[in-house]
Amino acid sequence: MTSVLFYLFSAILLFAAFRVISAKSAVHAAIFLILAFVTTSAIWLLLEAEFLAITLVLVYVGAVMVLFLFVVMMLDMNMEPLREGFTRYLPAGILVAATIVFEMGIVLGGRYFSSENFPAPVPHGSDYSNTKELGEQLYTTHLFSFEVAAAILLIAIVAAIGLTFRRRVESKKQDIPHQHRVDRNDRVRMLDIREESVS
Amino acid sequence: MNFEIAELVAVAPEITLLSLACVVLLVDLFICDSCRIVTWLLTLGSLLVTAAVVAMGMGGESQILFSGSIVRDAMGDVLKIAILLITTMVFLYSKEYQQERGLYRGEYFVLGLFGVLGMMILVSTHSFLTLYLGLELMSLSMYAMVALQRDSARASEAAMKYFVLGALASGMLLYGISMIYGATGTLNVGEVANAIQLQSGDQDLNLVLVFGLVFMVSGIAFKLGAVPFHMWVPDVYHGAPTSVTLYIGSAPKIAAFAMVMRLLVDGLGGLVVDWQPMLIILALLSMAFGNVIAIAQTNLKRMLAYSGISHIGFLLLGVLSGTEAGFESAMFYAITYALTSAGGFGMILLMSHRGFEAEEISDYKGLAKKSPWFALMMLILMFSMAGVPPTVGFYAKLAVLQQVISVDLVWLAVAAVFFSIIGAYYYLRVIKTIYFDMPDEDAVASPQFGLDPAGLTLSANALVVLVLGLFPGQLMMICQSAIG
């Protein structure tokens, strides 16, 4: 049963991944990417990695891809120029890809990675929480790496703001303290207009 | 779960730098544009304080901390101090240049500090996971620094190329790491070395290990900028603002050397027969292409980029000899190259001013007449890069070549000398332009010796290059005690 599900999800995943790069419109590509993420998370569930599977759906599908779709729709990209020369580069691409697949086949299909060397893991009981296990690993064994990852996120924020933030001159932002400090002379000019005799 | 305060003391330099970088980030938010000098001073202060903290913790046995995430040893401490001091020089050089080009912003300093933090983590890594994270912290900061000059199309293009190719290199490195993990079942550098030692002779396992090694070496070569993975180097060096080129072209080379040491020597030392030929090819190609293509350059930044590629070739010569003395000579080479390279780009920074980049070699015509002091400094730096005695470049090359000969690779040493002689041509051409060409009529004013930070730093930098060349023993001894 599990292996039937595994092959089913794998087939959907491969199809979705292929459609991501072959879809004509960027919106379709993004939606196929969502499909790829959801099926990946299903495969992870089969592997008993429940926490990671849920995180993948929550973070990638729920947050990242929604933002991504939003940006893709806003930008109204023309994908045609990106596809230029596709057929010209195709033979070289296929050659390189085939070589790499062949080499990987030799290594991964070799005797070292045979199923005798890597027996299937014993499934854990229902009282086993891999979320707890993950948290404990993260804050003990991998504490240092965890902190460095935090620094990387901080740098990503600084870099993103530094690269995109531009103080706009035409901005209509209110400066409240400035508005409060206004006094009459800034706004009203008293003119001394002499009466003119009406003739 | 065992956790001791002593572990925190051992990583005090990293903690100090991280906290100080956050302080700089926050302080910079609240100060006005005209008092930006506070940020500058704080940045310099952070680097120097961190260097002092490293110096205080030096000595003693090497310690492996945080469940094998990082290691604190003599090599790491020496390289960290070198990185911190050289980056301090970078910021001293670039103040005026940044001010004149609207790049004198808090982000530049914060990114620079975090980049240094990444280098420090890279230097003291003892696990493939921390290695990758440190590398990404360093690279991300550098991509952003290249792109900071948003209005320049050339800088944006350089940043884009750097980012895409850098991501590709990280991918290759990760794939290699995953293979090694599959073969040994651990990410810890020490345990990987043990696993390889125990299972040597197993053909099936060896296939997987070597497959991973190929990807790892490619990833490293990319980050080092060794031929044939060098395509990004000239474009990025040329396109980035010179102050950023200076940053990228100096201290990260030391961090990249540390990465080679931690990965190939500490981790995969058991596979030396496999990676030695790979490094020979990389070194030979880098020296050949770097030196020959540099001859055709008229732009000084591009020329220094190609010269950097050829120097990486020399650096790899020291590593590939596979002996302790070879690693010492490579470490010496990395530190002195970073120093000389900082001086070379510093000279461009010093010469340039508002609206004038001083990038072309022809901009230096007759510099000797206009500012003899800086012409002399440039002479020392160029001699050092070419490897002319009595500068430090000569001694560094000599030390590396001795080690290559000591492992019976005489033909490789001959090739290295041959390409160095070709390389000497373009360094001497710069000197000829400075000393024997007449200045153009409409040439802009050139810098005079004064008390500005950039000028003083350049003088100090070039004189250190000269003094180290005359008395290399001290630094060589430090390198020996660091590796031995």
Side-chain angles (χ1 to χ4, degrees), chain B residues 111-341:
Chain B
L111 290 171
L113 285 177
F114 273 97
V116 173
L117 180 65
M119 292 181 221
M120 287 172 69
I121 292 166
L122 203 51
V123 161
S124 54
T125 178
H126 196 254
S127 143
F128 291 153
L129 183 62
T130 10
L131 176 117
Y132 178 71
L133 289 170
L135 182 67
E136 284 306 293
L137 184 55
M138 175 181 94
S139 310
L140 261 180
S141 312
M142 295 202 299
Y143 303 146
M145 281 167 91
V146 174
L148 267 187
Q149 200 176 27
R150 276 178 315 186
D151 301 323
S152 152
R154 224 174 52 183
S156 307
E157 187 195 325
M160 204 62 204
K161 269 186 190 154
Y162 195 18
F163 180 66
V164 172
L165 291 177
L168 192 68
S170 298
M172 286 207 275
L173 187 69
L174 271 184
Y175 192 66
I177 289 175
S178 77
M179 280 293 148
I180 304 287
Y181 180 68
T184 58
T186 171
L187 286 173
N188 187 304
V189 169
E191 287 171 24
V192 166
N194 284 340
I196 292 174
Q197 213 76 58
L198 282 178
Q199 296 165 302
S200 62
D202 184 343
Q203 283 300 315
D204 301 332
L205 181 76
N206 211 42
L207 181 70
V208 181
L209 282 174
V210 174
F211 188 69
L213 179 69
V214 173
F215 279 92
M216 253 187 190
V217 169
S218 315
I220 295 171
F222 231 112
K223 296 287 173 190
L224 280 170
V227 180
F229 303 98
H230 67 291
M231 308 76 100
W232 59 273
V233 180
D235 288 336
V236 171
Y237 277 35
H238 184 198
T242 312
S243 53
V244 177
T245 313
L246 168 64
Y247 183 94
I248 295 176
S250 51
K253 301 291 176 198
I254 300 180
F257 161 75
M259 183 166 88
V260 174
M261 288 296 290
R262 299 291 186 206
L263 271 182
L264 295 187
V265 178
D266 291 357
L268 305 173
L271 299 174
V272 61
V273 281
D274 294 302
W275 54 254
Q276 194 181 39
M278 298 184 203
L279 292 194
I280 290 181
I281 295 171
L282 288 177
L284 258 185
L285 286 177
S286 302
M287 286 187 296
F289 278 80
N291 280 323
V292 172
I293 301 177
I295 292 175
Q297 305 304 319
T298 55
N299 183 299
L300 190 57
K301 270 162 93 179
R302 280 191 99 82
M303 190 200 95
L304 287 177
Y306 281 107
S307 125
I309 295 173
S310 72
H311 281 286
I312 287 298
F314 245 97
L315 176 76
L316 288 176
L317 283 186
V319 178
L320 67 84
S321 66
T323 59
E324 221 161 68
F327 304 145
E328 284 152 17
S329 66
M331 183 172 168
F332 185 85
Y333 202 97
I335 294 175
T336 54
Y337 168 67
L339 200 65
T340 319
S341 165

Side-chain angles (χ1 to χ4, degrees), chain A residues 103-104 106-108 111-113 118 140-145 148-149 151-152 154-155 158-159 162-166, chain B residues 1 66-67 69-70 105 107 111 114 121 129-130 133 137 140 144 147-148 150-151 175 179 182-183 204-205 208 211:
Chain A
E103 286 171 354
M104 281 169 66
I106 292 180
V107 173
L108 298 176
R111 263 174 306 167
Y112 180 74
F113 285 115
F118 290 92
T140 54
T141 317
H142 298 296
L143 176 68
F144 188 80
S145 315
V148 179
I152 293 181
L154 178 62
I155 253 324
V158 172
L163 291 182
T164 53
F165 182 70
R166 210 178 272 251
Chain B
M1 181 178 165
F66 290 99
S67 325
S69 292
I70 58 163
R105 294 192 281 151
E107 295 93 68
L111 290 171
F114 273 97
I121 292 166
L129 183 62
T130 10
L133 289 170
L137 184 55
L140 261 180
L148 267 187
R150 276 178 315 186
D151 301 323
Y175 192 66
M179 280 293 148
D204 301 332
L205 181 76
V208 181
F211 188 69

Side-chain angles (χ1 to χ4, degrees), chain A residues 70-148:
Chain A
F70 197 61
V71 172
V72 167
M73 287 177 182
M74 296 254 290
L75 284 182
D76 187 27
M77 274 188 298
N78 183 11
M79 299 293 280
E80 278 312 307
L82 289 178
R83 293 186 196 287
E84 265 172 28
F86 180 75
T87 42
R88 197 150 52 89
Y89 295 126
L90 194 62
I94 288 179
L95 192 70
V96 172
T99 319
I100 293 181
V101 167
F102 175 69
E103 286 171 354
M104 281 169 66
I106 292 180
V107 173
L108 298 176
R111 263 174 306 167
Y112 180 74
F113 285 115
S114 61
S115 45
E116 293 101 70
N117 278 352
F118 290 92
V122 188
H124 289 285
S126 56
D127 56 340
Y128 177 83
S129 158
N130 73 30
T131 313
K132 190 177 155 201
E133 198 69 16
L134 209 63
E136 210 167 296
Q137 281 287 313
L138 215 51
Y139 288 102
T140 54
T141 317
H142 298 296
L143 176 68
F144 188 80
S145 315
F146 185 72
E147 298 295 335
V148 179

